[in-house]
Structures are given as structure tokens and as C-alpha cells.
Amino acid sequence: MNTIDNVTFIEIPKVHDERGVLAVIEKEVIPFDIKRVYYLYDIPSDAYRGGHAHKKLRQFLVPLSGSFDVILKDGNDTKIVTLNKPNKGLLIVPGIWRELENFSSGAVCLVLASEVYDEADYIRDYKDFILSKSR
Ligand code: TYD
């Protein structure tokens, strides 16, 4: 059973020279095969996103621009992390409730996902989430 301690930051290797930074996510960087890529942008600063857990999906969140907070819950503990470095992503494993908020102006969140979109993989009710953890 995953806990918030299983949610980890992963540094993305980068090539930096006087022309800027080039960050590269090759297959060794994240521990799953990518089946889907999506991104959030034009996010109002008071937006609240997430508010769900996943049964199987693993996700790697990268703040390509700006910053935002991710609130993580495993039913016992809560942790808030700030994503604000484009070469430092957050690996969220299944069974973790997440909420995204406090988006800076111009924030862009890239998400690399281990599965294609499947609404049946979501747990969108916090009570159901807590029940799923006690099973
Ligand atoms: P959701 O995952 O709830 O967004 P967030 O966690 O960022 O708040 O998805 C929002 C809506 O977009 C929901 O109606 C499902 C749809 N959606 C897709 O159609 N495909 C996708 O790959 C994703 C992630 C969401």
C-alpha cells in the first residue's frame, strides 16, 4: 500500500550552456513507460485541480513554467510540496490523493502518465478513497 513517502521528486538531467538549458527525459529517468502526455496551462491563480486518487495510474508532474503546490494525502498523513523547478518533477504513485493549487501566473504543468485516460481508474470521492485504503 503506497504512502506519501512513496511520492518522490526526480531530477531531470539537463544540458546547460550560454544558450540556455535543455532538459531531457529519457526512459531511464522515470520508472514507467509513457502512454500519455498532457499539460495544464492558462490556469487561474485560484484554481483547484486534482481532488482525486488513481488505482493504477502513475504520473510524473513537471512544472515547465511557474509554480504550484501539490497536496498529497495517503489517508494517514498529508504533505504539501511546491513544484517550481522545470528540471525537477514529482512522481505520484497509485493510491495517493492529490490536490493542485496556488498556481502562479503562467504556470504550466506537464504530466507524463503510465496509462491512457480511463475514468474508471479515478477515485474522486474522498470517502471512497479512505475506504479503499482500509480494504
Ligand atoms: P482531471 O483528471 O479531473 O483533471 P485535474 O486532475 O487536472 O483536475 O480531468 C479533467 C477533465 O478532463 C475530466 O473531464 C476528464 C478529462 N480528461 C480527459 O479527457 N483526458 C485526460 O487525459 C485527462 C487527464 C482528463
Side-chain angles (χ1 to χ4, degrees), residues 33-54:
D33 289 336
I34 299 163
K35 291 215 183 118
R36 176 169 51 122
V37 176
Y38 65 92
Y39 44 95
L40 310 172
Y41 65 101
D42 275 356
I43 311 163
S45 59
D46 60 353
Y48 165 90
R49 302 207 60 116
H52 53 75
H54 284 279

Side-chain angles (χ1 to χ4, degrees), residues 13-31:
K14 60 183 183 181
V15 182
H16 189 183
D17 64 26
E18 62 284 355
R19 300 167 300 165
V21 182
L22 185 158
V24 195
I25 304 173
E26 286 192 293
K27 69 187 182 109
E28 302 77 29
V29 175
I30 49 174

Side-chain angles (χ1 to χ4, degrees), residues 36 38 40 48-52 54 59 98 100 116-117 119 122 124:
R36 176 169 51 122
Y38 65 92
L40 310 172
Y48 165 90
R49 302 207 60 116
H52 53 75
H54 284 279
Q59 290 167 302
R98 90 293 310 277
L100 278 66
V116 297
Y117 173 70
E119 187 58 37
Y122 282 74
R124 290 193 182 272

Side-chain angles (χ1 to χ4, degrees), residues 34-105:
I34 299 163
K35 291 215 183 118
R36 176 169 51 122
V37 176
Y38 65 92
Y39 44 95
L40 310 172
Y41 65 101
D42 275 356
I43 311 163
S45 59
D46 60 353
Y48 165 90
R49 302 207 60 116
H52 53 75
H54 284 279
K55 298 171 190 168
K56 186 172 168 207
L57 184 71
R58 289 182 286 171
Q59 290 167 302
F60 186 58
L61 277 56
V62 184
L64 286 188
S65 181
S67 67
F68 52 90
D69 294 337
V70 184
I71 300 159
L72 301 161
K73 298 180 183 174
D74 61 14
N76 286 316
D77 296 308
T78 298
K79 185 152 91 181
I80 303 178
V81 297
T82 300
L83 272 65
N84 58 9
K85 291 196 174 72
N87 78 315
K88 203 174 159 195
L90 187 71
L91 178 71
I92 306 183
V93 291
I96 301 294
W97 187 268
R98 90 293 310 277
E99 297 158 17
L100 278 66
E101 60 180 32
N102 200 16
F103 291 92
S104 72
S105 158

